[in-house]
Amino acid sequence: MTTSGEHILFVFDAPSNSQAEGLLHAPLTAILLDCVLAELSGKAVEVGSAIAFPAISAKVAHFSDAPFDIVEAGSTRVLHGQPGHIWREQFIADTEVAVGVFAAMLKDRLRFVFEPVCRATGSGAVDYLEALLCESVDGTIKHNRLGKLVPALERLGLARRLDRWVVESIIGRLRADPDARLGCNISAQSATLDAWWALTLAILNTEPEVARRLTIEITETMPLTEFAEASEFVRVLRSLGCRVALDDLGGGYSSLWSLLHLELDIAKIDGSFVRAARFGENGAARLWHMVELARACAPIVVVEGIETQADARVARESGATHVQGYLFGEAA
């Protein structure tokens, strides 16, 4: 192992027959690096009373006859903070959030509640259940969902650590129940193919009956910036049999670029649109136009935030194929 500034180079002498191209087949080098990343980022770094988490990203590169440039092989992602005391206060607050979330993870207190995504017409049958992350305290699941804490992890560059745990946990549930069809959220920061996903992709590649019952929902609580990497991430997941959704379309940072270019299976319209439709024709028209655009880009369009029969009717009339919300049962 050698270091160069903020870069670390791990050299693995792997047998040549293990060097399948790309992460789809999980070469040995990628799986080894996946283990290294999990170990390095598994615990907070404590210096006196100060606590910080290492934010690590990595790529697998292969040596060639040309000079090897560790900077070129490394990640290009740079996290920018706010200047001065504002950045410091934000960093401290975000770190406190991260300490709480990862302590809950390590102490096995993270739980899921599940909200059905139903067909908008006909029988209203459940297409799949979306897993929503919560915390169990003294054996009782807290009603406040942990999804609202994700932006703090994103600002620290730590969302991927949580996302991988979530996806692996949902895969475990799909293995245990062959009839289950489940979806889970990941941050837009996680929508990139590198060693963090090597082992997960290897599992999905060897267990297609699990992959085809898994829906990955990309949530842009922070803007998607690595467009080419996100496109390849979606392509590989779909090639394995998974479905990919863009969550909260029209809310947060969800971008038109993501909808138009990511070759999605599912587009989910943010609940603010159906809420606005309750108050007049203008809101209903905006919902209709958003659904129309989404249907041009994805075969399944879900309107979220459905709480009443009137909401469900407006969603159906707008052209949505599926609906989701408290009307169809609170997450349980």
Side-chain angles (χ1 to χ4, degrees):
M1 180 180 76
T2 62
T3 63
S4 174
E6 62 182 8
H7 297 83
I8 302 176
L9 171 65
F10 293 93
V11 179
F12 300 111
D13 184 15
S16 59
N17 61 5
S18 70
Q19 297 297 322
E21 292 185 0
L23 286 175
L24 177 58
H25 302 291
L28 179 59
T29 49
I31 294 176
L32 290 171
L33 187 54
D34 177 84
C35 296
V36 170
L37 292 174
E39 184 64 26
L40 289 177
S41 62
K43 296 181 180 179
V45 176
E46 300 185 30
V47 180
S49 60
I51 299 176
F53 284 89
I56 303 170
S57 60
K59 293 182 180 179
V60 175
H62 299 285
F63 289 101
S64 65
D65 293 333
F68 184 80
D69 188 338
I70 189 173
V71 176
E72 288 297 322
S75 172
T76 59
R77 183 175 288 106
V78 178
L79 300 176
H80 297 281
Q82 296 171 299
H85 71 282
I86 297 177
W87 176 88
R88 181 177 182 276
E89 291 171 0
Q90 183 71 71
F91 178 82
I92 292 172
D94 291 344
T95 300
E96 290 175 352
V97 169
V99 168
V101 170
F102 293 125
M105 179 192 297
L106 294 173
K107 295 178 181 178
D108 195 29
R109 294 202 309 264
L110 295 185
R111 298 290 184 271
F112 296 105
V113 294
F114 295 90
E115 190 169 275
V117 176
C118 303
R119 298 184 186 275
T121 58
S123 65
V126 174
D127 186 284
Y128 70 98
L129 299 176
E130 180 186 352
L132 304 171
L133 193 62
C134 297
E135 183 178 359
S136 175
V137 179
D138 297 327
T140 302
I141 296 178
K142 295 170 67 173
H143 289 290
N144 56 315
R145 298 170 186 168
L146 297 185
K148 62 185 177 59
L149 303 180
V150 168
L153 301 183
E154 289 176 323
R155 286 188 290 269
L156 294 172
L158 296 173
R160 306 189 62 197
R161 181 182 172 204
L162 177 63
D163 287 344
R164 190 176 70 164
W165 181 91
V166 167
V167 173
E168 289 178 349
S169 299
I170 294 303
I171 288 174
R173 287 176 176 264
L174 290 169
R175 282 169 160 170
D177 183 354
D179 296 322
R181 295 172 60 87
L182 303 177
C184 59
N185 293 289
I186 67 167
S187 164
Q189 285 186 353
S190 297
T192 181
L193 286 178
D194 61 13
W196 276 101
W197 291 117
L199 193 55
T200 301
L201 293 178
I203 292 170
L204 294 173
N205 188 46
T206 57
E207 300 184 44
E209 74 286 353
V210 169
R212 64 173 171 260
R213 293 183 288 118
L214 174 63
T215 298
I216 299 294
E217 301 191 9
I218 299 173
T219 301
E220 291 185 81
T221 46
M222 278 194 170
L224 180 66
T225 57
E226 304 291 344
F227 299 123
E229 293 184 11
S231 293
E232 182 66 5
F233 180 78
V234 171
R235 186 194 68 78
V236 168
L237 281 177
R238 295 186 72 217
S239 73
L240 293 171
C242 301
R243 295 190 300 181
V244 181
L246 181 65
D247 199 14
D248 298 327
L249 183 63
Y253 290 95
S254 292
S255 67
L256 184 61
W257 188 97
S258 300
L259 178 64
L260 293 175
H261 296 284
L262 287 184
E263 297 293 331
L264 301 159
D265 299 287
I266 303 170
K268 303 185 73 175
I269 309 297
D270 186 72
S272 61
F273 283 85
V274 78
R275 289 192 293 272
R278 298 169 188 165
F279 299 103
E281 294 183 0
N282 288 340
R286 287 194 293 271
L287 173 63
W288 187 86
H289 287 300
M290 180 61 74
V291 171
E292 185 178 37
L293 175 60
R295 290 199 67 169
C297 302
I300 295 176
V301 177
V302 183
V303 173
E304 301 177 291
I306 304 297
E307 298 179 358
T308 67
Q309 289 293 346
D311 290 343
R313 175 181 56 78
V314 169
R316 286 194 298 269
E317 292 175 351
S318 73
T321 63
H322 292 68
V323 285
Q324 180 179 358
Y326 291 146
L327 178 64
F328 307 100
E330 288 196 40

